[in-house]
Amino acid sequence: MARGNQSPLDELSAEQRVALAVLQSGENVFLTGGAGSGKSFVIRHFMREIDTRALPILASTGAAAVLLGGRTFHSFFGLGIMDGGPDATYERAAKDAKLMARLRKVEGVIIDEISMIPGAALMIAEALAQKARESKLPWGGLRLIAVGDFAQLPPVAKNREDRDWSFMNPVWSRTGFQDCLLSHNQRVKDDRFLDVLQDVRHGLVTPRVREFLEDRTRVHDEEHPAPRLFPRRQQAEEYNARRLAEIPENEEIIDSIYFGHEKHVAILMKNAPVPAQLKLKAGCQVLFVQNDAQKRWVNGTRGQVTEIHADRVVVRKQGGREVSVEKVSFGLQDAEGNPLATVIQFPLVLAYATTIHKSQGATLDDLWCDLGALWEPGQAYVALSRLRSAEGLNLLRWSPRSVITDPRVMDFYRRLRPVNV
């Protein structure tokens, strides 16, 4: 937040200010860059000055939509689960009068985490926009802002060769994006760590990567307070439950309260950042999963529970300040932005472990991580790039086979040029 005579632009780096100016130009923009380069920071600045009803932000997944308080790309464009393939999906959606009216009404869309949107979905969405707006212009004249990093998490696919990256679809080049590649990592100041991250981002297990990862592989210290990153959700849940059981205090079980149609509640239960039952003990470590309107905490803030009451939980944040946390609501919206289902719960989860996938976007001071058997392109890069400093990295194990990238992604990025400052 700007103070005194400080301009909001003073919060941005030189290349971030250039990227913001491109976003303000009215062009179609692809805002990209490695972890920690400030993509989300720039978009938040941009969204302060726009009407989000005219330029709504769309999430790539249901979980991200619940956190954003927005809609998914698939629901906004009426794609559903795309059963029957592209042609059947288009035919169904094209008959939806509400969808056609919605696409005529907006000026454009912002797509968050574009790397997880398949090319086929992007292609169908463009065809629907052209039909609704009765125009053969790219996207029927809609403005498109795509945000994300293809070197991080990919679209879902049965195998690596089938990955339907959106930049490979002809719709990508037709859109005519102005590319904004942020090249400076604002999170990490250590040059050696930055070099290692660059190698891992490119899928290269160089001598310096081997030396770096070997130096940080150690016997697990169960007492170390840093969070654990696991590749699978079950591993994280089991570790959280075990660590909670070790605390010699009474366990409090707080049920989440759901409102809405049964079908929509089931979807929200799967995608909400809070569990159906929040289990806490005095002394347990927790993670905030929401940005506080009063700025007392942000999504990713860590702390320790000191008191548990029916209407509030007191948490001592890392750094010492205690805050009183009340219940909040998380919602699932329909394609028009109307609420379908709501859950009320404290914005907290146990902080002993999470998945690499859920850690995307977080900044951590230290962590323990298992890089022994990864299977997704970008997983190792996402895990390692959460850290501010290499000093905070503790590896349980690692394997060269876990450092995976898709050569098509690297070829795509070789053609992009960093923002001209």
Side-chain angles (χ1 to χ4, degrees), residues 190-416:
D190 175 354
D191 286 342
R192 184 189 176 209
F193 188 27
L194 285 171
D195 288 341
V196 167
L197 288 176
Q198 273 298 96
D199 288 348
V200 172
R201 177 180 168 85
H202 287 80
L204 303 173
V205 185
T206 57
R208 66 184 171 196
V209 168
R210 285 181 179 275
E211 181 184 3
F212 178 86
L213 297 181
E214 287 295 341
D215 284 350
R216 283 154 183 80
T217 302
R218 52 204 56 158
V219 176
H220 192 195
D221 178 2
E222 289 279 1
E223 301 305 312
H224 196 285
R228 275 65 178 167
L229 298 191
F230 290 106
R232 299 189 184 278
R233 187 178 68 179
Q234 185 177 350
Q235 291 173 291
E237 289 175 350
E238 288 174 354
Y239 188 82
N240 276 326
R242 180 160 63 83
R243 291 301 303 271
L244 186 68
E246 293 170 357
I247 300 174
E249 299 286 344
N250 291 331
E251 181 177 275
E252 300 289 341
I253 299 177
I254 304 143
D255 290 319
S256 293
I257 302 167
Y258 296 91
F259 300 97
H261 189 278
E262 184 179 349
K263 178 178 74 173
H264 300 133
V265 165
I267 297 171
L268 182 58
M269 288 178 77
K270 181 180 176 184
N271 289 296
V274 290
Q277 283 190 325
L278 178 60
K279 298 177 181 180
L280 299 176
K281 290 182 179 181
C284 73
Q285 297 289 325
V286 290
L287 194 73
F288 287 86
V289 292
Q290 174 226 37
N291 293 323
D292 177 43
Q294 298 175 44
K295 296 184 166 46
R296 294 170 295 173
W297 58 78
V298 297
N299 184 11
T301 297
R302 289 170 55 81
Q304 184 179 45
V305 171
T306 57
E307 300 174 31
I308 305 170
H309 306 276
D311 61 342
R312 64 192 174 93
V313 174
V314 180
V315 177
R316 181 181 293 112
K317 299 189 299 179
Q318 279 188 334
R321 183 187 172 196
E322 282 196 345
V323 290
S324 182
V325 186
E326 298 179 345
K327 291 182 178 179
V328 299
S329 64
F330 297 91
L332 180 71
Q333 298 182 359
D334 67 10
E336 300 291 338
N338 302 310
L340 291 173
T342 303
V343 59
I344 297 174
Q345 182 56 277
F346 294 110
L348 302 168
V349 295
L350 291 172
Y352 300 103
T354 189
T355 63
I356 294 172
H357 191 285
K358 282 192 174 180
S359 76
Q360 190 173 19
T363 298
L364 302 173
D365 291 315
D366 49 12
L367 63 84
W368 286 83
C369 190
D370 181 356
L371 300 183
L374 305 185
W375 64 94
E376 288 271 42
Q379 264 185 316
Y381 176 65
V382 169
L384 296 174
S385 60
R386 298 310 93 212
L387 287 164
R388 298 180 197 274
S389 164
E391 299 306 311
L393 178 61
N394 304 280
L395 288 180
L396 299 172
R397 57 179 182 148
W398 76 279
S399 164
R401 291 189 298 275
S402 290
V403 180
I404 306 166
T405 191
D406 189 317
R408 294 168 293 187
V409 170
M410 290 301 103
D411 184 58
F412 172 75
Y413 273 104
R414 273 191 284 273
R415 298 195 298 270
L416 298 187

Side-chain angles (χ1 to χ4, degrees), residues 30 32 172 179-181 411-418:
F30 172 45
T32 189
W172 188 270
D179 296 324
C180 276
L181 172 60
D411 184 58
F412 172 75
Y413 273 104
R414 273 191 284 273
R415 298 195 298 270
L416 298 187
R417 292 289 171 265

Side-chain angles (χ1 to χ4, degrees), residues 2-213:
R3 292 193 177 99
N5 295 323
Q6 187 183 26
S7 161
L9 287 180
D10 293 338
E11 300 173 350
L12 300 172
S13 69
E15 69 172 5
Q16 288 172 343
R17 286 196 291 273
V18 173
L20 180 61
V22 176
L23 287 168
Q24 293 166 336
S25 71
E27 298 294 328
N28 294 338
V29 179
F30 172 45
L31 178 62
T32 189
S37 60
K39 299 179 293 296
S40 298
F41 194 51
V42 173
I43 282 293
R44 283 198 297 271
H45 270 266
F46 175 64
M47 291 182 70
R48 290 177 187 174
E49 59 190 50
I50 64 170
D51 180 356
T52 53
R53 291 169 299 183
L55 198 65
I57 186 164
L58 309 179
S60 58
T61 66
V66 171
L67 274 175
L68 280 172
R71 293 162 273 185
T72 67
F73 177 87
H74 282 67
S75 69
F76 184 84
F77 282 98
L79 306 182
I81 61 172
M82 295 176 57
D83 53 320
D87 291 343
T89 301
Y90 174 84
E91 292 302 328
R92 273 194 308 274
K95 296 171 185 172
D96 184 339
K98 283 187 177 179
L99 168 62
M100 295 293 109
R102 183 162 67 247
L103 294 178
R104 287 191 292 271
K105 184 179 175 183
V106 296
E107 295 173 13
V109 296
I110 302 169
I111 308 172
D112 195 34
E113 300 296 357
I114 185 67
S115 69
M116 299 179 74
I117 303 289
L122 212 64
M123 176 186 68
I124 301 164
E126 187 206 29
L128 290 166
Q130 289 175 326
K131 176 178 173 57
R133 300 168 74 87
E134 299 179 343
S135 169
K136 287 299 180 185
L137 288 171
W139 294 89
L142 280 181
R143 185 182 183 200
L144 216 68
I145 296 173
V147 186
D149 179 14
F150 289 107
Q152 294 189 50
L153 296 174
V156 175
K158 290 178 181 176
N159 60 64
R160 212 181 301 174
E161 289 70 33
D162 288 341
R163 293 206 184 278
D164 184 16
W165 299 103
S166 54
F167 63 80
M168 293 173 56
N169 194 286
V171 68
W172 188 270
S173 57
R174 277 202 306 273
T175 302
F177 285 116
Q178 298 291 308
D179 296 324
C180 276
L181 172 60
L182 301 177
S183 60
H184 299 296
N185 191 314
Q186 307 294 325
R187 182 184 296 155
V188 177
K189 307 305 178 189
D190 175 354
D191 286 342
R192 184 189 176 209
F193 188 27
L194 285 171
D195 288 341
V196 167
L197 288 176
Q198 273 298 96
D199 288 348
V200 172
R201 177 180 168 85
H202 287 80
L204 303 173
V205 185
T206 57
R208 66 184 171 196
V209 168
R210 285 181 179 275
E211 181 184 3
F212 178 86
L213 297 181

